[in-house]
Amino acid sequence: MQDTLYTFFDLGQFARLPLTGSHHSGLVALSYCVALLASYTAILTLERVQLHTRKASRYSWLLVSSIIAGIGVWSMHFIGMLAFELNLPMNHGVGLTLLSIIPAIVGSFFALKGQVAAPSVRQTLFGGTVLGAGIGLMHYTGMAAMILPASLRYDPLWFLFSVVVAVSLGIIALLTYRRYRHAENMTLSNRRTVQIIVAAIMALAISGMHYTAMIAANFYPTGESEALFTGHSSWLAYGVGIGAAFSACMAIVATRIDHRLQQQQKLAQMSAKQLYEVISAIDDGLLLFDERNRVLLANEAFARLTGDNLDKIKAQKLDIEHYLEHANELLEYIQSTLDSGKAWHGKVKVKERSGVSFPVRLSISEVRYQDQKERHFVATVTDITAEVEASERIRNLAYNDALTGLANRRSLLDHLHQELTHSEKNDETGALILCDIDKFKILNNTLGSDMGDLLLKRVAERLQNSTKSNSFLARLSANEFAIVLTEISSGNLANVKQQLLTRIYQLQEQLQQPYQLNSYTHLCSFSAGASLFEDSQLNAETLMTQAGLALSHSKRKGIGEVSLFHQELADAVTKRVKLEEQLRHAIKQQEFELYLQPQVNSIEEITGAEALIRWPQKNGSFISPADFIPLAEETGLIIPLGYWITERACSILQQWQQDPVKSTLQLSINVSAKQFQQPDFVEQVKGLIKAYAVKKHQLKLELTESLLMDDISDITNKIQQLKEVGVEFALDDFGTGYSSLSYLMQIPFDTLKIDVSFVRNMLDSEEKAQIVHTIIQLGESLKLSIVAEGVETQQQFDYLSSLGCSNFQGYLFSKPLPEAEFSISDNSSI
């Protein structure tokens, strides 16, 4: 036993030191590259094993993988041996060198065989051990083939370490391969990266074992050699490397060829049955037929769409007229399209066996074969019922009101275009009626929008029941409806208008009957406006505009009113538009002036004035405030206009400070409700008072009673803030609006102004005289000063004075004067 160990291991039996060798660095690098290429090729070929199902094919590729791996291991070893340089002549025994390749191939075979299936960790560890053992056996067998004048012995520790390196690195390589095999959804580039990493580890196992074993090798010369080592022939190492690389490349090419052949084989193996299963899985109907309408192929979807039996369809000729509506004309068009070399596509109606038709998208194409002159045709049929229904729903939403189901504005315009054209051709007449539910907003605000929606539905139902079947109905906005009448007798225009009014009144009477909204009974009135076709110049948009103008006129007159369009309504709108444009320009250019009308006390001393806005024109005339003030209120222009008035009044008061006679006078200006409601109103007034140094109690703001319908607490808060800086307040036109004693007690007014309508007629009407007397008494009880407006005669002045009125304003004292003409004498009296 000891003799055996002495023949293999270096156990100190030699007295001399071993020879020192070296390695050729270029050949070392070449040896690793050969091992890397061989390992990578072995992994690629191993994948072919996993893709094949036949046992023979699997073992053939497994053997190829093992041979490539074995050759790579052997080539690396052989090149590594040629890279070893020792100062002795060396040679290799051919037989034993070639025999050393067998352990590498066998070890690779069993190691790779365990990786074909899904190996367990234990199997992978065993495979790595076998691979390492095969590499080690190959190496030491190859080392035994060395022929040189020296004894070869191995250091036991380094020998053991070389085996550990081979086995451990082999195990690591196979574990890495096992892990990447189980990774799902790995991209091709990631897979190639992992393959290279596994190949690098395997090559490291091969090279690591070899060069570790070379460290373990000790060479003891057996005598003095006359020949010295002059180096191996490099061509032999490179030849072996090129041969190994060629083998690996050929294996890679073989894997590509095998992959292509396998794919083609799969395609070739697809049977007619499999093809039919693919066609059957298509959700659209498919039909293949020849020039004589013989059905060659049909799928279940086609049978399901037509309601026919699939076997029956295949057993008989295709009767296209049986399936298509208007088949004859359609077939001629399809045939001409196909003859031109194009496919035909279109939407048609297909009849089921039961006779029910439904829409489909039909496509027919010609099928031509390379080796046959026979023509076949393939038709695909797609049911588009859901698509058509969805399109109808979209169209319905586009042309109908979602709440009531009536037509909407777009649909009404289209209908009016048609009716107007028909009316012109047939010399007939008709009319468009627009009706509006009065005070509809109040219902929504008190009972909620759900109740409002229910009323709209009830109105729509009553309109349908109250009009003839050929009348066209539409809902245009929240509470506005339209009725198109076409059965109006032509003739005298006055008779036609009277007939139209009669129809509207009848409709109005029916619509104004009580509505039962769940448990609530609701009464409402309807305003209406109408326009005849001949007034519109046969234009639908114009007709809509005219009817809208008539309805607006009715709304201005009051609730439940009816108006027919006449040209004056359009002229008024044109005038209003022009006036609005002029008003905007005038505000921008500050074309207005303030006229001042004096206010006097009971002894006719001037105590102040009211500033009244005037709009002069270039021709010397004036546009009446009665025309432009309401327009400014409607358009919101009253806000910049009101700011200008306030600023101009503050500027006048600043000028009055320089005049000792006027410095004690008070100036009043009117403030609109819309202007007063602005969030920054208080800040604006305070800013102007500060900018123009207006003294306390000199500026008085006059508010109308309509403002008291808003938030009383907000109004009171704003008044209190301005009174802190000396602004006084008057309630204008008292007695004409919505005032109540509770409001007067809550809001800190300084003055009550008796409206001119009471003053003008108080001497002729006991009722108005009593109202004036009551207002004066009320003011005294609330400690408010009283101003009577519109005093024009001495009798009016005397009567008001007798009642205790303290302040007066009117033409009896002075008409409104331009700023420059407003002056008072030193005794401050008129």
Side-chain angles (χ1 to χ4, degrees):
M1 180 65 182
Q2 186 176 4
D3 293 340
T4 303
L5 293 175
Y6 278 150
T7 59
F8 191 79
F9 292 112
D10 187 353
L11 300 176
Q13 64 269 41
F14 294 98
R16 301 175 61 183
L17 293 175
L19 297 174
T20 302
S22 62
H23 286 83
H24 187 284
S25 57
L27 295 181
V28 170
L30 176 62
S31 68
Y32 179 79
C33 292
V34 169
L36 177 63
L37 179 61
S39 301
Y40 178 72
T41 306
I43 293 171
L44 289 182
T45 53
L46 184 62
E47 287 190 350
R48 306 312 308 160
V49 178
Q50 298 163 357
L51 293 174
H52 280 276
T53 55
R54 292 172 55 203
K55 188 175 182 179
S57 299
R58 290 168 66 88
Y59 272 92
S60 296
W61 277 107
L62 180 60
L63 185 60
V64 169
S65 300
S66 304
I67 291 174
I68 293 297
I71 290 175
V73 172
W74 179 85
S75 300
M76 180 271 145
H77 165 77
F78 192 75
I79 296 172
M81 290 302 298
L82 295 177
F84 182 67
E85 298 175 349
L86 195 64
N87 197 21
L88 287 175
M90 287 188 294
N91 206 340
H92 295 81
V94 176
L96 198 56
T97 298
L98 294 178
L99 183 64
S100 65
I101 199 172
I102 295 177
I105 294 175
V106 173
S108 298
F109 180 85
F110 285 102
L112 297 178
K113 182 176 181 295
Q115 304 306 307
V116 172
S120 62
V121 175
R122 180 180 295 180
Q123 289 175 316
T124 303
L125 293 175
F126 175 75
T129 303
V130 172
L131 178 62
I135 294 171
L137 185 57
M138 180 279 305
H139 173 80
Y140 287 108
T141 303
M143 289 288 285
M146 293 180 66
I147 302 173
L148 74 169
S151 298
L152 174 59
R153 299 292 185 272
Y154 296 97
D155 183 281
L157 292 179
W158 279 106
F159 172 82
L160 181 62
F161 183 67
S162 69
V163 174
V164 171
V165 167
V167 172
S168 58
L169 289 177
I171 290 173
I172 292 173
L174 293 185
L175 285 174
T176 306
Y177 179 74
R178 177 180 180 274
R179 179 175 178 82
Y180 111 83
R181 275 197 56 199
H182 289 88
E184 297 181 357
N185 301 322
M186 183 180 290
T187 63
L188 180 61
S189 60
N190 289 343
R191 183 176 294 275
R192 291 290 179 254
T193 301
V194 174
Q195 289 172 343
I196 292 172
I197 292 173
V198 174
I201 296 173
M202 291 179 67
L204 191 60
I206 300 167
S207 302
M209 191 277 157
H210 174 85
Y211 290 107
T212 303
M214 290 304 294
I215 295 174
N218 292 326
F219 295 91
Y220 294 97
T222 55
E224 295 295 335
S225 175
E226 297 179 358
L228 297 177
F229 178 73
T230 58
H232 297 294
S233 298
S234 297
W235 67 265
L236 181 59
Y238 292 124
V240 171
I242 293 172
F246 179 76
S247 301
C249 291
M250 290 302 295
I252 293 174
V253 171
T255 60
R256 296 289 181 267
I257 295 173
D258 181 69
H259 176 73
R260 184 68 58 84
L261 291 174
Q262 195 173 26
Q263 291 295 322
Q264 292 178 352
Q265 186 178 12
K266 284 183 179 179
L267 292 174
Q269 288 176 348
M270 179 176 283
S271 62
K273 181 179 179 181
Q274 289 174 310
L275 179 61
Y276 183 73
E277 288 175 353
V278 172
I279 294 172
S280 297
I282 298 174
D283 195 45
D284 295 336
L286 188 142
L287 196 67
L288 182 68
F289 56 96
D290 62 13
E291 293 180 280
R292 287 178 285 179
N293 287 344
R294 291 179 302 184
V295 177
L296 306 177
L297 187 65
N299 67 351
E300 291 285 352
F302 183 83
R304 184 175 63 253
L305 287 172
T306 60
D308 284 336
N309 182 273
L310 185 59
D311 294 332
K312 184 179 179 182
I313 294 173
K314 297 177 181 178
Q316 60 186 11
K317 283 190 175 183
L318 178 64
D319 185 6
I320 297 179
E321 290 82 355
H322 173 73
Y323 294 111
L324 298 181
E325 291 185 353
H326 312 293
N328 292 332
E329 299 176 3
L330 185 60
L331 285 175
E332 291 180 6
Y333 180 51
I334 293 174
Q335 189 62 52
S336 63
T337 304
L338 293 174
D339 289 342
S340 66
K342 300 177 181 178
W344 186 89
H345 308 278
K347 295 180 181 180
V348 297
K349 284 286 190 71
V350 168
K351 293 181 289 186
E352 290 183 346
R353 188 179 185 85
S354 60
V356 178
S357 298
F358 60 96
V360 301
R361 185 179 293 106
L362 177 64
S363 175
I364 301 179
S365 306
E366 182 181 348
V367 181
R368 291 186 178 272
Y369 305 101
Q370 288 184 344
D371 302 328
Q372 299 179 20
K373 294 183 179 180
E374 188 177 7
R375 296 168 65 196
H376 289 166
F377 303 92
V378 61
T380 56
V381 184
T382 305
D383 186 359
I384 57 172
T385 302
E387 179 182 323
V388 172
E389 289 176 351
S391 178
E392 286 297 323
R393 284 194 296 271
I394 293 171
R395 188 184 185 284
N396 186 61
L397 290 174
Y399 284 89
N400 292 85
D401 175 51
L403 179 66
T404 63
L406 300 179
N408 60 13
R409 180 180 295 272
R410 179 179 178 182
S411 184
L412 174 63
L413 284 172
D414 289 349
H415 181 77
L416 286 175
H417 283 302
Q418 297 173 7
E419 289 297 336
L420 289 171
T421 303
H422 178 80
S423 174
E424 182 183 24
K425 289 181 180 178
N426 297 277
D427 196 23
E428 296 176 355
T429 189
L432 171 64
I433 303 169
L434 299 182
C435 63
D436 186 287
I437 306 173
D438 295 323
K439 298 182 179 179
F440 176 74
K441 188 176 181 180
I442 296 176
L443 174 66
N444 266 347
N445 292 341
T446 54
L447 297 181
S449 58
D450 289 344
M451 197 67 77
D453 289 347
L454 183 57
L455 175 62
L456 293 173
K457 292 179 182 178
R458 296 285 186 268
V459 171
E461 292 169 1
R462 194 168 291 183
L463 276 172
Q464 291 171 324
N465 295 330
S466 304
T467 55
K468 295 182 179 181
S469 58
N470 61 342
S471 297
F472 188 85
L473 304 175
R475 180 190 173 212
L476 304 185
S477 62
N479 59 324
E480 187 177 330
F481 294 85
I483 305 99
V484 180
L485 300 179
T486 54
E487 293 184 358
I488 301 177
S489 302
S490 58
N492 182 274
L493 183 59
N495 292 336
V496 171
K497 289 185 176 181
Q498 186 56 50
Q499 182 184 353
L500 176 59
L501 283 172
T502 302
R503 294 282 295 275
I504 295 174
Y505 289 135
Q506 291 173 347
L507 182 62
Q508 192 179 43
E509 182 181 0
Q510 293 170 326
L511 290 176
Q512 293 180 161
Q513 296 299 315
Y515 290 87
Q516 192 65 39
L517 306 177
N518 296 332
S519 60
Y520 172 71
T521 301
H522 181 68
L523 290 172
C524 59
S525 61
F526 287 76
S527 298
S531 180
L532 291 167
F533 283 4
E534 47 262 40
D535 291 332
S536 68
Q537 301 178 348
L538 301 177
N539 183 283
E541 288 78 8
T542 303
L543 184 63
M544 289 276 289
T545 301
Q546 292 174 347
L549 290 173
L551 177 60
S552 299
H553 184 64
S554 297
K555 302 288 283 186
R556 284 194 296 271
K557 289 195 296 182
I559 63 173
E561 294 291 336
V562 175
S563 301
L564 297 183
F565 171 78
H566 50 85
Q567 188 57 41
E568 289 79 5
L569 297 178
D571 294 341
V573 172
T574 303
K575 180 181 177 182
R576 182 186 181 281
V577 171
K578 184 177 180 181
L579 183 61
E580 181 182 342
E581 182 181 354
Q582 291 175 330
L583 181 59
R584 291 183 185 276
H585 182 267
I587 293 173
K588 186 176 181 180
Q589 300 299 323
Q590 298 187 357
E591 297 176 357
F592 301 94
E593 296 179 5
L594 284 186
Y595 275 50
L596 307 179
Q597 187 174 33
Q599 294 176 342
V600 302
N601 57 19
S602 58
I603 60 174
E604 299 188 29
E605 290 179 337
I606 297 177
T607 58
E610 180 181 3
L612 302 170
I613 190 168
R614 294 293 183 263
W615 186 3
Q617 301 298 293
K618 293 181 179 179
N619 59 6
S621 63
F622 290 85
I623 296 178
S624 171
D627 291 332
F628 71 82
I629 292 297
L631 179 61
E633 290 276 3
E634 291 177 23
T635 58
L637 294 174
I638 194 66
I639 295 173
L641 184 60
Y643 181 82
W644 180 86
I645 293 171
T646 308
E647 183 178 27
R648 187 66 196 138
C650 291
S651 176
I652 292 171
L653 286 172
Q654 186 183 50
Q655 295 173 21
W656 285 1
Q657 303 301 320
Q658 312 304 319
D659 188 340
V661 179
K662 295 179 181 178
S663 61
T664 59
L665 298 182
Q666 190 177 61
L667 185 60
S668 300
I669 60 172
N670 292 284
V671 175
S672 74
K674 189 170 291 186
Q675 180 187 1
F676 188 85
Q677 290 162 353
Q678 295 303 303
D680 59 348
F681 175 74
V682 172
E683 287 72 19
Q684 284 184 355
V685 176
K686 284 184 175 181
L688 292 174
I689 289 174
K690 182 177 180 181
Y692 290 95
V694 176
K695 292 183 179 180
K696 289 188 176 183
H697 310 298
Q698 284 197 294
L699 179 65
K700 181 182 284 186
L701 304 182
E702 296 186 4
L703 307 178
T704 60
E705 291 185 88
S706 61
L707 180 66
L708 304 184
M709 294 295 291
D710 293 312
D711 186 354
I712 294 299
S713 62
D714 182 60
I715 295 170
T716 304
N717 181 48
K718 287 183 177 180
I719 290 177
Q720 290 285 13
Q721 290 183 59
L722 289 175
K723 286 178 75 69
E724 290 175 2
V725 294
V727 179
E728 293 192 3
F729 286 85
L731 182 57
D732 197 14
D733 302 334
F734 184 73
T736 62
Y738 310 94
S739 298
S740 70
L741 292 178
S742 64
Y743 288 167
L744 287 177
M745 294 176 68
Q746 292 180 52
I747 302 175
F749 285 111
D750 301 287
T751 303
L752 287 182
K753 296 191 74 173
I754 304 173
D755 187 66
V756 65
S757 62
F758 297 119
V759 174
R760 183 180 294 119
N761 300 313
M762 66 182 176
L763 298 180
D764 301 321
S765 169
E766 267 189 46
E767 181 182 11
K768 291 191 176 181
Q770 186 61 44
I771 291 174
V772 171
H773 188 198
T774 302
I775 293 173
I776 293 172
Q777 288 181 326
L778 178 62
E780 290 177 349
S781 65
L782 295 175
K783 298 181 180 180
L784 302 175
S785 65
I786 305 297
V787 177
E789 293 183 300
V791 180
E792 298 177 352
T793 67
Q794 188 65 40
Q795 292 85 352
Q796 292 172 341
F797 174 73
D798 293 339
Y799 180 73
L800 289 166
S801 296
S802 68
L803 295 177
C805 184
S806 56
N807 296 281
F808 309 88
Q809 178 181 340
Y811 274 34
L812 176 63
F813 314 105
S814 175
K815 64 180 181 180
L817 302 170
E819 293 177 40
E821 298 179 18
F822 181 81
S823 62
I824 57 177
S825 61
D826 292 339
N827 59 4
S828 300
S829 61
I830 298 298

